[in-house]
């Protein structure tokens, strides 16, 4: 009798252990499948938003590139430049054209890099007389290239998007026209559509993101030569740019699926998708916090466990 009772207890213990193992295996399998599905769903949604945002910005780039090329052959500008010296009438014309275009500042640089006319001529931060020969938007336009360039203003310290094009007369470059644009509305639109994102130049330097702490840092370590080049152009000021991730190469970061970036309390992991923006020469990264995926996974497992427990209780009620 005691042997039968002991055997029954052992069988009951094995049943409980087997049930626990089966439950653990079921929850593990559910977790693996749910994690893959949740991540895939988020990535598909992120990919669509990535395409939409990049397309919107490419439209903005095209608009201002066309505007700058169009204004570079404006009869009024050509007439003013053919005068012996640029006068107040050039500034007034640029002021009018800038107001019509809705841009921030419109200015003309001579072939030595000196600003000879500017729409902000009457303001304290006027560009008149400033030399911008160190800026790529000057040298590239002087060489005959239509160019767009993000940089912090050397006088204002505010970021701007610069579009430049050579002004020619009789096949000879006589000046460079530059249109500075504040894309605040577009940046606001990105912030409304993407909760976590990073926009970088081709070197991986962050100039616009969902976290101000990431701005004006690089995603990967920059070479000393590149640091020197960026400081010479003053694109991001004159301070060295430090990396915000531990990834060494930009190619490795772009091909990877996860990136770790600093937050106020430490470092957070993000699933990342990226897309080149060839017209701007930039990269757009959309980020999905890893914690968001695991939080969703927690609720899926909790719901699964609740269904199992409920199923057992119903089964016992019918016994």
């Amino acid at each position: 009798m005691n042997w039968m009772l002991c055997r029954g207890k052992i069988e009951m213990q094995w049943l409980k252990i087997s049930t626990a193992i089966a439950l653990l295996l079921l929850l593990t399998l559910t977790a693996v499948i749910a994690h893959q599905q949740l991540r895939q769903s988020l990535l598909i949604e992120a990919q669509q938003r990535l395409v939409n945002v990049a397309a919107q910005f490419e439209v903005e780039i095209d608009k201002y590139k066309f505007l700058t090329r169009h204004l570079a052959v404006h009869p009024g500008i050509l007439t003013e430049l053919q005068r012996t010296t640029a006068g107040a009438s050039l500034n007034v014309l640029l002021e009018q054209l800038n107001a019509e275009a809705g841009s921030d500042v419109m200015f003309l640089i001579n072939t030595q890099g000196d600003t000879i006319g500017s729409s902000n001529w009457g303001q304290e931060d006027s560009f008149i007389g400033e030399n911008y020969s160190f800026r790529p938007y000057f040298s590239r336009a002087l060489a005959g290239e239509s160019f767009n360039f993000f940089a912090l203003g050397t006088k204002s310290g505010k970021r701007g998007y610069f579009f430049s094009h050579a002004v020619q007369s009789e096949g000879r470059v006589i000046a460079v026209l530059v249109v500075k644009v504040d894309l605040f509305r577009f940046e606001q639109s990105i912030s409304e559509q993407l909760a976590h994102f990073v926009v970088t130049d081709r070197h991986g330097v962050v100039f616009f993101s969902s976290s101000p702490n990431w701005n004006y840092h690089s995603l990967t370590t920059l070479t000393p030569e590149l640091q020197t080049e960026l400081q010479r152009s003053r694109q991001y000021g004159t301070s060295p740019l430090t990396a915000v991730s531990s990834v060494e190469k930009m190619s490795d970061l772009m091909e990877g699926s996860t990136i770790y970036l600093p937050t106020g309390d430490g470092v957070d992991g993000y699933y990342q998708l990226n897309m080149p923006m060839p017209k701007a020469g930039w990269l757009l990264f959309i980020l999905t916090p890893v914690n968001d995926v695991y939080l969703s996974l927690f609720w899926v497992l909790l719901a699964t466990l609740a269904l199992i427990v409920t199923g057992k209780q119903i089964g016992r009620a019918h016994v």
Side-chain angles (χ1 to χ4, degrees):
M1 185 71 178
N2 288 336
W3 179 82
M4 293 292 291
L5 184 61
C6 183
R7 181 181 176 183
K9 286 183 177 179
I10 292 173
E11 288 177 348
M12 184 61 70
Q13 288 295 329
W14 273 111
L15 180 61
K16 288 181 179 179
I17 292 171
S18 299
T19 302
I21 291 173
L23 178 60
L24 181 61
L25 288 173
L26 177 61
L27 289 175
T28 301
L29 181 61
T30 302
V32 171
I33 295 173
H35 179 264
Q36 290 176 340
Q37 291 180 338
L38 284 169
R39 185 179 172 188
Q40 187 64 24
S41 175
L42 286 170
L43 289 177
I44 290 172
E45 181 186 349
Q47 181 70 38
Q48 187 57 54
R49 284 185 284 140
L50 188 68
V51 171
N52 291 341
V53 170
Q56 289 176 34
F57 195 76
E58 296 282 80
V59 169
E60 291 292 313
I61 293 290
D62 279 341
K63 180 173 72 176
Y64 284 105
K65 272 190 171 182
F66 174 79
L67 170 70
T68 308
R69 287 197 300 267
H70 174 72
L71 291 175
V73 294
H74 190 283
I77 289 178
L78 290 170
T79 299
E80 291 293 334
L81 287 175
Q82 287 167 356
R83 297 179 186 273
T84 306
T85 56
S89 55
L90 175 60
N91 292 326
V92 172
L93 174 61
L94 291 171
E95 187 176 27
Q96 292 172 348
L97 293 173
N98 184 64
E100 292 170 4
S103 46
D104 243 18
V105 185
M106 194 176 295
F107 54 107
L108 279 164
I109 306 172
N110 65 17
T111 53
Q112 286 75 49
D114 298 317
T115 306
I116 56 174
S118 179
S119 62
N120 66 355
W121 61 278
Q123 301 173 19
E124 290 184 3
D125 59 350
S126 169
F127 293 173
I128 299 293
E130 295 293 323
N131 185 282
Y132 293 110
S133 57
F134 59 91
R135 290 291 208 190
Y137 59 70
F138 168 73
S139 56
R140 299 284 283 270
L142 197 64
E145 183 180 352
S146 182
F147 193 65
N148 49 278
F149 180 76
F150 168 87
L152 295 176
T154 55
K155 300 195 73 172
S156 66
K158 297 178 181 178
R159 64 180 173 208
Y161 299 80
F162 296 83
F163 297 81
S164 63
H165 199 279
V167 180
Q168 298 189 26
S169 176
E170 299 179 352
R172 180 175 57 90
V173 176
I174 59 173
V176 169
L177 174 69
V178 184
V179 178
K180 181 183 179 183
V181 179
D182 181 356
L183 297 179
F184 172 76
R185 286 192 299 275
F186 174 75
E187 293 177 346
Q188 189 177 40
S189 175
I190 290 184
S191 300
E192 290 170 354
Q193 295 179 67
L194 307 178
H196 307 279
F197 65 91
V198 168
V199 184
T200 78
D201 66 11
R202 60 191 176 89
H203 305 298
V205 178
V206 181
F207 59 84
F208 180 46
S209 71
S210 52
S211 172
N213 294 328
W214 302 338
N215 292 342
Y216 315 124
H217 292 276
S218 58
L219 291 182
T220 57
T221 304
L222 302 179
T223 64
E225 293 79 14
L226 183 55
Q227 288 273 17
T228 300
E229 178 188 331
L230 292 173
Q231 289 177 42
R232 184 169 55 245
S233 69
R234 302 185 215 174
Q235 185 173 2
Y236 305 106
T238 56
S239 301
L241 300 169
T242 56
V244 289
S245 84
S246 60
V247 181
E248 290 293 327
K249 297 180 180 178
M250 196 64 186
S251 57
D252 292 340
L253 186 146
M254 292 178 65
E255 292 170 4
S257 59
T258 309
I259 182 173
Y260 295 89
L261 295 170
T263 61
D265 302 322
V267 176
D268 283 351
Y270 299 88
Y271 294 122
Q272 67 93 4
L273 285 175
N274 59 77
M275 175 174 286
M277 302 170 68
K279 291 181 181 177
W282 301 333
L283 294 166
L284 173 61
F285 292 79
I286 182 169
L287 311 175
T288 302
V290 172
N291 288 341
D292 286 4
V293 177
Y294 283 105
L295 180 61
S296 299
L297 182 60
F298 168 77
W299 289 113
V300 169
L301 293 178
L302 192 63
T304 302
L305 189 59
L307 285 172
I308 293 171
V309 172
T310 303
K312 281 188 174 182
Q313 291 175 346
I314 292 173
R316 287 173 184 169
H318 286 82
V319 173

